[in-house]
Amino acid sequence: MAGKPEFITPEMTILEVLHRHRQTEAVFRRYEQDAKGCLLCQALFATLAEAAAKYGLDLDRLVGDLEDCVAGPTDQAG
Amino acid sequence: MDNSGKNHELDCRGLVCPHPVLRTKEIVELGGVQRLTVLVDNEAAKENVSRFLERSGFVVRVDFRGGDLAVTGTREEIEAGQEPEAWEEAELRKILVLVGTDRLGTGDDDLGRKLMASFLGTLKEMGRELWCLVLLNAGVKLATAGSPVLGEIQQLADSGVMVLVCGTCLNHFQLLEHKQVGDTTNMLDIVTHMQMADLVIPLT
């Protein structure tokens, strides 16, 4: 994946992000410790903003981590 | 296993979320799918696959199959060999009721709340045409703990009506964790459903 990553916005649902960038699953799994719950089970249809509000996550950091993941060299889509 | 153009069966046993939903989405996006059965073995996958199929315009049924769960989505389209019944389905409108308040009318708030309770209790009379109930602004309070109409809304949801609850609004009222019924949703989802509906009835 060359160039600037596709923009990830707080209004995107977790499902949208995962569908476009499968490699982001690892990021969401990482945040489950902070969320104290399974984001991918319980918040799949929530927007990033809603999930952050509900589970007390740092939204900016989450979006940033997702963008880093998408832009990163280890693009393991699929 | 039937995976012809219109009918599909997907075995997602052993998969954890989000994979059953992602695989279901891939099949649905092939287009032309009228019936899709997804076999899952955990509650979260059942809930999420059901929710995804409902949002994609399928009528969803869940059956026990052995120790597993079979989530079957059927699109309300005319299928070969089922013309009479299907025709009836095709004639049904999709009605979306948008409730942007927790009381009906102006003048007396107590009366307004009673009227809203009566309205939601009567809404089922729309029958199968009632497709979606959207709750936003103070309307989200109706779906939270302590709401006098929780039972009525749960009954609608149980009968197959899609209940969408505005997440921004829940957050505004600090009620995110008190929602008891319906799917928390966003404005894009609400707008999409308004576009898909044949008739939108707004109560604000």
Side-chain angles (χ1 to χ4, degrees), chain A residues 1-77:
Chain A
M1 188 174 290
K4 198 177 175 183
E6 192 175 338
F7 197 47
I8 290 179
T9 68
E11 287 73 35
M12 290 172 76
T13 64
I14 291 179
L15 180 60
E16 283 176 83
V17 176
L18 281 164
H19 180 61
R20 293 182 197 184
H21 312 287
R22 295 289 173 92
Q23 69 272 35
T24 58
E25 180 180 347
V27 178
F28 289 113
R29 296 258 181 241
R30 210 160 65 224
Y31 271 83
E32 284 177 356
Q33 291 178 349
D34 293 341
K36 297 182 177 62
C38 175
L39 287 174
L40 300 176
C41 301
Q42 294 159 5
L44 199 51
F45 301 93
T47 64
L48 298 177
E50 289 164 354
K54 183 170 181 179
Y55 292 95
L57 305 175
D58 182 332
L59 178 61
D60 291 338
R61 190 161 68 88
L62 174 61
V63 171
D65 286 352
L66 290 168
E67 289 194 329
D68 287 348
C69 174
V70 171
T74 53
D75 188 353
Q76 297 166 355

Side-chain angles (χ1 to χ4, degrees), chain B residues 45-158:
Chain B
K46 183 207 82 176
E47 287 296 324
N48 284 327
V49 168
S50 298
R51 191 166 166 189
F52 174 76
L53 287 172
E54 281 171 357
R55 287 173 173 225
S56 302
F58 288 84
V59 174
V60 174
R61 200 184 73 193
V62 179
D63 299 302
F64 288 99
R65 198 184 281 185
D68 302 315
L69 295 156
V71 182
T72 300
T74 310
R75 272 215 173 117
E76 296 181 349
E77 294 176 10
I78 296 174
E79 292 185 52
Q82 295 185 350
E83 284 82 358
E85 189 182 341
W87 177 252
E88 195 182 314
E89 292 276 351
E91 288 290 290
L92 288 176
R93 296 173 300 172
K94 286 182 178 176
I95 298 179
L96 182 151
V97 177
L98 187 147
V99 176
T101 173
D102 59 351
R103 64 206 74 175
L104 265 189
T106 54
D108 186 286
D109 285 348
D110 286 340
L111 176 62
R113 289 189 191 92
K114 285 177 187 167
L115 290 174
M116 180 59 82
S118 173
F119 173 79
L120 288 169
T122 312
L123 207 49
K124 61 180 181 290
E125 300 305 323
M126 283 189 181
R128 291 165 65 202
E129 289 200 323
L130 180 59
W131 172 62
C132 185
L133 173 66
V134 177
L135 303 175
L136 51 78
N137 209 321
V140 300
K141 295 178 183 176
L142 300 169
T144 59
S147 160
V149 290
L150 212 47
E152 283 82 352
I153 297 175
Q154 186 64 59
Q155 202 176 3
L156 290 174
D158 291 345

